[in-house]
Amino acid sequence: TLLPTLDFTSPWGLQKGFEDAVGERRVASVLGFGSAVGVYLDTPQRADGGIDRRQRTARTPVIVTPRTDGVQYALFDPGLVDPAVVWQVLADLQDAGEFTLDTPWTCVVDNRADAGAPRMYYTVGDRSFVTTLAGTVVRS
């Protein structure tokens, strides 16, 4: 079958990229979304202490890249992350006139602050802020 081209300026593109990159995996150190990077998942599955990055870009199938950098943050279940919430935060910014579909953006999900739960770290254009997994802003 032909691989669909994903549009990361749509809820469908984020959901499909998430499904492809994460699959059945339930352990991650980082999960990322972005207009240029697609969706990626860092998993600590290497015997040498490194990680595997699984990345689904717009036009390529999932590519697995071994990385020598080890796990930097507390592990979490990527199934806790809802791509629809990632998109809803962007849609809310769009409704407020603070985001257009050609604005570069990223959302990195990890547990860097050891807050007990992962957070979503957004960069939208030149603005950065942090939300809970439910999309509630906790720091701008």
Side-chain angles (χ1 to χ4, degrees), residues 51-73:
I51 60 173
D52 283 338
R53 175 165 285 182
R54 297 177 49 81
Q55 185 170 11
R56 171 62 157 99
T57 61
R59 293 183 178 90
T60 61
V62 172
I63 296 171
V64 179
T65 307
R67 299 171 60 109
T68 57
D69 42 330
V71 175
Q72 298 175 343
Y73 308 119

Side-chain angles (χ1 to χ4, degrees), residues 6-86:
L6 301 184
D7 176 5
F8 297 113
T9 61
S10 75
W12 176 84
L14 289 184
Q15 180 65 43
K16 182 64 176 147
F18 175 84
E19 291 169 2
D20 290 350
V22 174
E24 298 297 318
R25 285 153 197 84
R26 292 294 165 242
V27 177
S29 59
V30 176
L31 173 63
F33 301 84
S35 54
V37 299
V39 180
Y40 63 89
L41 177 76
D42 288 351
T43 59
Q45 297 180 337
R46 296 176 42 87
D48 66 0
I51 60 173
D52 283 338
R53 175 165 285 182
R54 297 177 49 81
Q55 185 170 11
R56 171 62 157 99
T57 61
R59 293 183 178 90
T60 61
V62 172
I63 296 171
V64 179
T65 307
R67 299 171 60 109
T68 57
D69 42 330
V71 175
Q72 298 175 343
Y73 308 119
L75 301 177
F76 67 96
D77 179 354
L80 298 171
V81 180
D82 184 351
V85 173
V86 173

Side-chain angles (χ1 to χ4, degrees), residues 18 31 33 76-89 107-111 115-122 130-138:
F18 175 84
L31 173 63
F33 301 84
F76 67 96
D77 179 354
L80 298 171
V81 180
D82 184 351
V85 173
V86 173
W87 180 255
Q88 187 59 54
V89 170
C107 173
V108 177
V109 184
D110 62 45
N111 199 5
R119 304 278 187 180
M120 299 194 298
Y121 297 85
Y122 282 86
V130 180
T131 73
T132 64
L133 294 182
T136 304
V137 175
V138 293

